[in-house]
Amino acid sequence: MGLLRFTLNLRKLGVVKGYVWGTIAGGLGVLLTMLVRSAQGLDNSWSTLADSPWNVIVMFGSVAFTLGFLVGVGSMDDWIKWMLGRPGSDGHYHPKKGVPHWHRFFNMDTNHKVVGIQYGGLGILVLLLGGLLALIFRTELAEPGLQYIGEDTYNTYIGLHGQLMFVAVLLGVGAMANYLVPLMIGAQDMAFPRMNGFAFWINVPAATLLLLAIPAGGFDTGWTAYPPLSVMADLGMQLALVAVFILGFSSILGGMNLIVTIFMMRAPGMSLFRMPIFVWGVLATSLLQLTATQFIGLSFLMVSIERAADIPFFDPARGGDVTLYQHLFWFYSHPTVYIWILPGLGIISEILPVFARKPLFGYSFIALSSMAIAVMGYLVWAHHMFASAMDPFLRVPFMLTTLLIAVPTGIKFFSWLATLWEGKIRFATPMYFMIGSFMLFLLGGLTGPPSALVVTGLHLHDSHFVVAHFHITVFGGFVFAYFGAIYYWFPKITGRMYSEFLGKAHFGIMFVGFVTFALMLFRIGLLGMRRRIADYDPALGFDIYNTVATVAAFVAGFSILIMLANLAFSVVYGRRASHNPWRSRGLEWQIASPPPELNYSDLPQIVGNPYDYGLPGSVYAIVAPEDQVEDEGPPPEQIMPAKPALPAPATGD
Amino acid sequence: MERYGIKHFIALVVVILGAVILISGGSLIPEPVEQVTNPDASPLDVEDQTGALIAIVAAIMVAMVIVGGMLLTIFWLANRQVTKAAALEYDPADPLDYRTYGLAMAFIVPAVLAVTAMLIFFLALDLMPVQASEEAKVVDRIFTIEFVSISVIFGLVVGLLIHALFSFRAEPDDDGDGRHIHGNIPIEITWTIIPLIFVLLLGVYTAFQHSEITEAKDNEIGVRVEGFQWGWRFFYPVELFFTPEEFAELDQRQQADIINRGGVFSNELVLLQDQTVRLEMESVDVIHSFWVPEFRVKRDVVPGVLTELRYTPILAGTYRVRCAELCGLNHWQMYANVRVVNQAEYDEWIERTRASLGNPVEAGEQLFQANCITCHSVDGSDNTGPTWLNVIGYEHVMEDGARVFVDYDYIERSIWNPNAQIVEGYDAGIMPQNFDQTISQIQVEQIFAYMCSLSDRADQVPLCVDLLQQAGAETGSPGDEADMTEPAEADGLADDSSEG
């Protein structure tokens, strides 16, 4: 009976309603398009080839599916009511009788903490799917010869791996930003809570469409979808292009929401230079998301229109230009790597002082270096095109702008080192991840100049060296920082402690596995192994490195399972954590864990600097008395020896 | 001053310096030249290498002393200034916790050495493919600078990181905080400006080197390169092969073909040692990228745009051009042979190419090597497309059940309009649809002649007999045109791997 009730209750879930509505709307979209085409005497027969009539049908069907889903999930309820002149909801969560609490995470919700967890959950799911694809084609590469999957499957998987990971990282950034920013700046929620929920739910139909690319024939272009190849690719390409186009809306709306929140909703006393450093990272990222995403949307839209309506934007035989696409594409896709890593670098800057018990060295330089990276990120896109048909004289200016990015990045490294110097460093799982992040991002950053200096870049371009470079950069700048952040804020999010042993095991296994993997890829890249090849000539001597890289990739993948097991187990059975197990000065740690529905019942007062560890009597924030927490008894987790209570407020800093 | 452990800091930097110089030395060990695969390799100038080696090691040592001194000063200043500025209670009797000084050293030495060993193993030993062009020399020179810089910076920063983690770790029962140091503006400006100068110098130096490898050279030869899914075609200037009078004597269709395609077709890129070649590249379908790893530099081959790439090969041998831009299904095996030869072999190749223009079987085989070998075998084995062994003169079953007798008309249709009829068991839409623009009628005939030579029923098709006779007349041995040595030779070429 219990199972039956459970199953029946599923129909009330927003996500289920969304899929039902989406499927109906998508079906109607497909039928309507077919009808219009038939009326014109056009062919509607099913085919997955590049010139299939379904290129048009799928395009309209996908848009209808997405709109149907967004209405069905309830993300537009209030807006629709307002348009009809009716009062909307009050925007707050009201528990309903008979509806379990976990339903909340599968419904449209406006609370930023719920949205953050939704982002995080979907992000991990997509990350697992993308990682699974990677392990499949990595296995294929382990030895010469095509053993497990054919060339077409291989080509589809590498492209889909890229796009899924792209989505997963953006979701991860969204998770951190949504959950943490309002808590950190002392706000009750985001500036536009309804838009926040809406922006999240866009990701679900879009990710679904992306996955549908596999049954629709896949696409053999890699994630970059360069025309003319993408115009000649199978129907799966059209779905992927439309999916990424739709995803762009989520980025733009999310970025806008965060910018407004950060500028308008900070607690009294929190000047820009008293914000937690992570918020600076999110601000820089959000500015990029708001202003750059349009370009990938535009470039993908143009390719999908060329496929669907035969408008020859990129067909040189009919006056198009293939290099134009690359400029448009990289004008977004280079800044996007800063969208991924700036919050990660913010996390490192945020967590290091807590575990070093020392102020962040050079706060304003670190904060401004994030903004500098964001601005300079716009001026370097053509370094992805050194080997392209672009005029060679343009290579030199783009090389110089690229090298200049090393300067603000270097500032961060030196400041982190100086932060640790003369601190009193404690080691817990988040700190391990920060150290791993530091080392990997350093190696990733240092392998940038060989690719950026145009002479050597012409050898490395499109080789596995580049693959290793950006994987190590994203692992250092995002993945390790993100996982570290999950462990660090886990007690805040759940009120429970994770297993330190499993956390450290996760770190050790993933670090060793990933470093080995990356070094092997550097090696074969220099020796001349190209990117995106399904197989290679055994005479080149790559095979041993490829075998080791595959084993290492599986080791790193296995460590993710440890993390998931640790987190899943700890949510239910973990020991209760005190409200501030790390003795952080951060605003979010001064209130109960998990935070109340509206975070702060009254506005907190910011009276000091966020990282003044070691300054006796200094205080960062004073929260309202009713928000203050006294933990009963000694904190159960003794990783960080706890001080008895908050120090008394002092004047000035 | 004792308080900041200045002696200990010096010792630390010295240890790291030593390790880093070790790395740098390791990365500069000259690699043995691969004589085995390149029998004609010109021996490298050993004296030259040693001189450069000494110069570079000396430069690194000077650089390291400067960088080390700089870091030392920075950290020393940071601490001194902060002490003055922070107006903290300063108690000399409470020295910072350097109890782990000896232990830290013991920890750092292996840590740094481990990093060193890692970098030597993965970055320094046998780092690159063989150095076969002038451009490769320039590229490798900059690679050396880069890898030395990477090793130095990585060693220093990670050494300092590990040291900091170890020396400044908290006692288990210590719940105190570290020193309250906010930052130090002059120092922060210093570590902003010094990397700025370093990267700008590196960038400007590379810019000069870049013009060296891209600028026009004396005595260049221009070769037209055509990339297509999935192979390469090369077209050499007519003057290399024929005087105007000789050209006028050629078959009319041959002449038209050569003029239309902008040169004499070759299935491999044959280069004269020490002569710069200017590749004028264009794609007929999607974007490809022309890369010979032994020559280092690469450039995309783009539809609708003519791109240029210059190589000056210096090491004789057989290499392979590999497409470096994903171009669809068979991207990974989009190869063509690149042979760097001396003058005598070059002349011989010119002579052979001239001769093959009159021999349809041989010309057809070359066309096969360039256009068809990725998907079609000649030894009966299965591949993306049907094999060519014993095709002509046989009946084949099509996907729609029709039975077709394979003769010239069928072959022409299959090349120019491949989706018209698909052999049972194969997929439509795989074979490029644009061979009607890139393969002329006379070339179809040559390919057909080559297929005839692979079939034991060639005598069933009259045109085959004519073509094989023509080929036989050219080589002067009419008896062996249809024997099985052809596929074996083709195989030998296909498997001929380039690398050392």
Side-chain angles (χ1 to χ4, degrees):
Chain A
M1 270 334 268
L3 190 67
L4 184 67
R5 192 175 316 124
F6 177 83
T7 318
L8 278 176
N9 268 342
L10 286 184
R11 76 184 194 283
K12 294 181 190 158
L13 284 184
V15 63
V16 174
K17 284 192 246 170
Y19 274 114
V20 171
W21 280 60
T23 312
I24 293 169
L28 285 175
V30 164
L31 285 177
L32 194 64
T33 320
M34 287 171 82
L35 198 68
V36 173
R37 284 180 60 89
S38 304
Q40 289 174 284
L42 294 167
D43 176 33
N44 282 328
S45 60
W46 167 256
S47 130
T48 59
L49 292 179
D51 50 1
S52 159
W54 277 75
N55 274 314
V56 194
I57 300 169
V58 148
M59 218 172 150
F60 286 102
S62 305
V63 174
F65 167 75
T66 308
L67 288 175
F69 185 97
L70 289 170
V71 172
V73 80
S75 63
M76 291 150 95
D77 281 2
D78 280 352
W79 296 337
I80 294 171
K81 282 178 190 158
W82 292 343
M83 276 189 279
L84 298 175
R86 287 201 231 129
S89 73
D90 63 357
H92 293 308
Y93 173 65
H94 303 288
K96 280 189 204 121
K97 237 184 142 185
V99 178
H101 182 252
W102 62 266
H103 272 205
R104 205 179 164 187
F105 296 100
F106 297 88
N107 285 330
M108 163 73 182
D109 202 289
T110 54
N111 188 294
H112 75 95
K113 294 187 289 297
V114 174
V115 175
I117 290 167
Q118 287 173 333
Y119 267 108
L122 185 63
I124 297 265
L125 184 69
V126 178
L127 190 84
L128 288 176
L129 286 171
L132 190 66
L133 293 183
L135 289 180
I136 292 173
F137 65 72
R138 204 49 249 178
T139 311
E140 175 55 56
L141 285 174
E143 47 184 333
L146 289 164
Q147 294 92 6
Y148 309 104
I149 52 174
E151 286 141 334
D152 48 349
T153 317
Y154 178 91
N155 288 344
T156 298
Y157 281 11
I158 53 164
L160 208 56
H161 164 73
Q163 292 186 338
L164 284 175
M165 284 309 191
F166 179 98
V167 177
V169 174
L170 287 177
L171 287 167
V173 168
M176 293 193 286
N178 273 292
Y179 196 94
L180 294 175
V181 166
L183 278 171
M184 282 182 157
I185 63 173
Q188 291 191 332
D189 207 320
M190 300 279 281
F192 307 117
R194 289 177 185 82
M195 197 168 83
N196 203 22
F198 178 76
F200 164 73
W201 281 106
I202 293 175
N203 289 286
V204 179
T208 311
L209 290 173
L210 200 51
L211 287 173
L212 284 177
I214 296 182
F219 53 98
D220 53 2
T221 65
W223 78 280
T224 53
Y226 279 4
L229 191 60
S230 53
V231 177
M232 294 158 58
D234 281 352
L235 186 61
M237 185 84 257
Q238 190 75 353
L239 276 163
L241 293 168
V242 174
V244 173
F245 178 77
I246 292 169
L247 275 166
F249 285 99
S250 172
S251 267
I252 295 170
L253 296 177
M256 187 167 80
N257 205 348
L258 280 161
I259 292 171
V260 176
T261 308
I262 291 168
F263 278 126
M264 306 303 291
M265 299 182 66
R266 296 192 309 277
M270 186 183 282
S271 65
L272 279 182
F273 283 89
R274 276 180 174 180
M275 290 196 304
I277 201 77
F278 172 72
V279 181
W280 274 101
V282 173
L283 178 61
T285 279
S286 303
L287 286 168
L288 286 174
Q289 283 192 334
L290 178 64
T291 54
T293 311
Q294 293 81 354
F295 289 89
I296 197 173
L298 176 67
S299 54
F300 275 24
L301 188 64
M302 285 167 89
V303 174
S304 52
I305 288 178
E306 177 159 353
R307 291 175 60 93
D310 202 24
I311 300 176
F313 296 116
F314 305 118
D315 181 357
R318 289 184 287 166
D321 182 47
V322 292
T323 316
L324 171 68
Y325 173 87
Q326 299 177 21
H327 283 292
L328 289 173
F329 178 81
W330 287 114
F331 199 79
Y332 165 77
S333 296
H334 189 79
T336 195
V337 304
Y338 300 117
I339 293 177
W340 301 350
I341 62 166
L342 284 172
L345 303 184
I347 293 281
I348 302 177
S349 307
E350 183 74 34
I351 294 182
L352 279 185
V354 179
F355 287 90
R357 312 306 302 166
K358 197 167 158 286
L360 182 62
F361 194 94
Y363 171 99
S364 50
F365 271 69
I366 292 191
L368 293 176
S369 73
S370 291
M371 301 308 282
I373 290 175
V375 173
M376 287 156 75
Y378 275 116
L379 308 174
V380 302
W381 78 92
H383 70 215
H384 296 270
M385 302 166 57
F386 279 164
S388 75
M390 182 181 78
D391 197 315
F393 91 90
L394 281 172
R395 292 168 178 170
V396 171
F398 280 106
M399 168 180 73
L400 291 174
T401 52
T402 306
L403 287 170
L404 288 181
I405 299 234
V407 176
T409 318
I411 291 175
K412 288 188 191 283
F413 279 107
F414 293 129
S415 304
W416 291 334
L417 263 187
T419 303
L420 294 175
W421 212 262
E422 298 203 11
K424 289 198 174 178
I425 302 167
R426 271 82 166 175
F427 294 94
T429 304
M431 185 63 180
Y432 278 85
F433 274 92
M434 293 310 113
I435 296 162
S437 221
F438 182 107
M439 287 167 77
L440 290 182
F441 192 60
L442 178 66
L443 196 52
L446 288 174
T447 50
S451 322
L453 288 169
V454 52
V455 174
T456 46
L458 289 177
H459 177 63
L460 299 176
H461 186 83
D462 273 329
S463 76
H464 261 75
F465 187 92
V466 176
V467 179
H469 162 69
F470 76 69
H471 275 89
I472 202 167
T473 310
V474 173
F475 263 75
F478 175 78
V479 176
F480 272 73
Y482 179 50
F483 288 168
I486 290 178
Y487 285 115
Y488 180 75
W489 276 286
F490 187 81
K492 179 51 61 185
I493 296 169
T494 62
R496 291 179 186 270
M497 215 56 205
Y498 57 87
S499 153
E500 271 294 330
F501 172 75
L502 287 180
K504 284 173 182 165
H506 169 206
F507 168 76
I509 295 171
M510 189 161 95
F511 188 76
V512 171
F514 180 73
V515 168
T516 314
F517 168 80
L519 288 173
M520 294 299 151
L521 258 54
F522 280 127
R523 182 89 177 88
I524 53 178
L526 286 168
L527 281 174
M529 180 156 169
R530 301 158 288 155
R531 283 176 84 165
R532 296 167 175 156
I533 49 173
D535 199 3
Y536 47 89
D537 191 345
L540 297 171
F542 299 153
D543 35 359
I544 177 69
Y545 302 108
N546 271 308
T547 311
V548 175
T550 303
V551 173
F554 271 96
V555 169
F558 169 73
S559 73
I560 310 274
L561 298 183
I562 299 182
M563 177 183 82
L564 293 179
N566 187 1
L567 298 185
F569 186 82
S570 305
V571 165
V572 187
Y573 301 107
R575 280 172 297 177
R576 294 243 167 246
S578 76
H579 74 286
N580 189 0
W582 316 118
R583 291 198 294 122
S584 165
R585 290 167 58 92
L587 191 49
E588 76 275 22
W589 293 104
Q590 313 310 325
I591 56 173
S593 302
E597 179 73 18
L598 289 177
N599 305 344
Y600 303 97
S601 50
D602 200 359
L603 285 176
Q605 299 284 322
I606 308 299
V607 295
N609 289 325
Y611 304 107
D612 269 342
Y613 296 100
L615 185 64
S618 90
V619 163
Y620 175 45
I622 304 167
V623 295
E626 55 267 37
D627 289 338
Q628 283 176 16
V629 210
E630 294 291 336
D631 289 318
E632 302 88 12
E637 191 58 44
Q638 288 295 350
I639 299 148
M640 303 281 287
K643 276 184 173 170
L646 280 172
T651 48
D653 52 0
Chain B
M1 246 208 345
E2 308 80 348
R3 181 178 158 142
Y4 308 116
I6 202 82
K7 276 182 284 185
H8 131 265
F9 197 89
I10 294 172
L12 172 66
V13 172
V14 167
V15 169
I16 297 174
L17 272 179
V20 161
I21 288 169
L22 215 75
I23 313 173
S24 321
S27 70
L28 292 169
I29 297 164
E31 298 155 24
V33 177
E34 304 274 338
Q35 295 287 358
V36 188
T37 48
N38 300 287
D40 302 326
S42 53
L44 292 180
D45 195 334
V46 180
E47 269 178 75
D48 230 29
Q49 290 269 310
T50 322
L53 201 68
I54 292 170
I56 296 173
V57 171
I60 293 164
M61 290 172 78
V62 171
M64 288 309 303
V65 170
I66 295 171
V67 174
M70 201 178 74
L71 275 171
L72 198 66
T73 320
I74 286 173
F75 278 86
W76 180 67
L77 281 175
N79 289 312
R80 198 189 57 160
Q81 297 227 342
V82 165
T83 315
K84 276 185 187 166
L88 288 173
E89 286 297 314
Y90 175 53
D91 179 9
D94 174 28
L96 251 178
D97 193 2
Y98 278 115
R99 71 209 140 75
T100 55
Y101 171 53
L103 204 51
M105 283 298 121
F107 189 64
I108 278 169
V109 175
V112 173
L113 288 183
V115 169
T116 316
M118 187 180 83
L119 287 176
I120 289 176
F121 183 76
F122 293 112
L123 295 179
L125 295 180
D126 226 359
L127 193 58
M128 312 289 283
V130 74
Q131 204 178 59
S133 73
E134 287 290 346
E135 291 73 22
K137 283 184 181 173
V138 177
V139 171
D140 288 359
R141 192 156 65 226
I142 298 182
F143 264 129
T144 308
I145 297 173
E146 286 165 359
F147 287 131
V148 168
S149 314
I150 290 175
S151 306
V152 168
I153 299 170
F154 190 74
L156 271 175
V157 174
V158 170
L160 288 172
L161 172 73
I162 292 172
H163 166 74
L165 294 176
F166 205 84
S167 292
F168 305 116
R169 72 188 197 280
E171 290 277 2
D173 53 351
D174 184 358
D175 65 348
D177 287 347
R179 274 164 32 85
H180 181 257
I181 305 170
H182 265 302
N184 184 309
I185 299 289
I187 285 165
E188 285 161 49
I189 290 174
T190 314
W191 69 40
T192 309
I193 288 181
I194 288 177
L196 181 71
I197 295 171
F198 179 68
V199 293
L200 283 180
L201 287 177
L202 207 57
V204 171
Y205 174 71
T206 311
F208 281 110
Q209 301 291 312
H210 175 245
S211 38
E212 193 179 302
I213 62 170
T214 48
E215 72 195 357
K217 315 282 195 302
D218 296 337
N219 192 26
E220 287 180 350
I221 177 177
V223 176
R224 210 170 83 72
V225 177
E226 212 172 73
F228 64 96
Q229 284 174 322
W230 295 272
W232 304 90
R233 291 186 277 256
F234 305 98
F235 298 93
Y236 278 80
V238 185
E239 306 83 71
L240 202 60
F241 300 88
F242 302 104
T243 61
E245 297 80 45
E246 285 173 327
F247 185 66
E249 284 169 20
L250 284 177
D251 180 286
Q252 287 294 320
R253 290 196 299 167
Q254 287 283 14
Q255 283 187 23
D257 209 31
I258 289 171
I259 292 168
N260 284 344
R261 305 312 303 280
V264 176
F265 166 78
S266 167
N267 64 323
E268 53 179 4
L269 183 62
V270 179
L271 300 175
L272 183 58
Q273 199 175 339
D274 297 324
Q275 185 191 29
T276 303
V277 59
R278 184 183 69 254
L279 302 175
E280 290 153 2
M281 309 187 291
E282 198 169 8
S283 164
V284 297
D285 36 47
V286 303
I287 303 173
H288 305 279
S289 190
F290 191 99
W291 189 28
V292 184
E294 292 80 2
F295 295 170
R296 303 293 186 271
V297 291
K298 67 167 73 71
R299 187 97 196 261
D300 283 3
V301 180
V302 182
V305 187
L306 203 68
T307 52
E308 273 187 2
L309 181 62
R310 284 186 174 81
Y311 285 137
T312 313
I314 53 171
L315 192 63
T318 304
Y319 311 101
R320 256 180 181 184
V321 48
R322 300 159 194 281
C323 175
E325 181 74 56
L326 179 58
C327 57
L329 188 69
N330 277 325
H331 160 63
W332 74 273
Q333 39 187 345
M334 182 170 162
Y335 298 137
N337 275 344
V338 178
R339 285 199 296 129
V340 178
V341 296
N342 57 29
Q343 189 69 52
E345 287 171 310
Y346 196 59
D347 294 340
E348 188 201 321
W349 167 74
I350 290 177
E351 202 41 58
R352 205 152 42 78
T353 308
R354 277 171 55 129
S356 76
L357 282 179
N359 181 337
V361 172
E362 208 169 294
E365 185 183 342
Q366 287 192 12
L367 287 163
F368 163 78
Q369 298 278 348
N371 293 292
C372 323
I373 195 168
T374 312
C375 305
H376 298 278
S377 78
V378 289
D379 57 0
S381 64
D382 200 28
N383 203 334
T384 312
T387 184
W388 286 11
L389 184 67
N390 292 333
V391 170
I392 308 293
Y394 283 79
E395 263 197 359
H396 273 213
V397 184
M398 297 295 121
E399 194 76 332
D400 55 9
R403 301 181 74 84
V404 177
F405 180 73
V406 180
D407 57 4
Y408 177 79
D409 289 342
Y410 171 75
I411 294 298
E412 187 188 86
R413 197 161 62 239
S414 302
I415 293 175
W416 283 351
N417 187 9
N419 283 355
Q421 277 177 309
I422 300 295
V423 179
E424 190 174 32
Y426 294 91
D427 292 331
I430 304 282
M431 184 157 157
Q433 316 280 311
N434 55 10
F435 279 136
D436 53 341
Q437 288 140 42
T438 56
I439 296 202
S440 62
Q441 205 225 339
I442 187 169
Q443 287 179 325
V444 173
E445 209 172 288
Q446 287 162 343
I447 291 171
F448 179 70
Y450 175 57
M451 294 176 89
C452 288
S453 76
L454 295 171
S455 173
D456 54 10
R457 285 206 201 159
D459 51 352
Q460 312 273 325
V461 185
L463 182 60
C464 266
V465 180
D466 289 351
L467 287 167
L468 290 178
Q469 258 173 11
Q470 196 186 335
E474 197 68 31
T475 52
S477 52
D480 59 18
E481 68 272 4
D483 68 18
M484 287 298 125
T485 54
E486 291 282 3
E489 270 172 32
D491 254 5
L493 265 171
D495 291 342
D496 186 10
S497 157
S498 57
E499 260 70 23

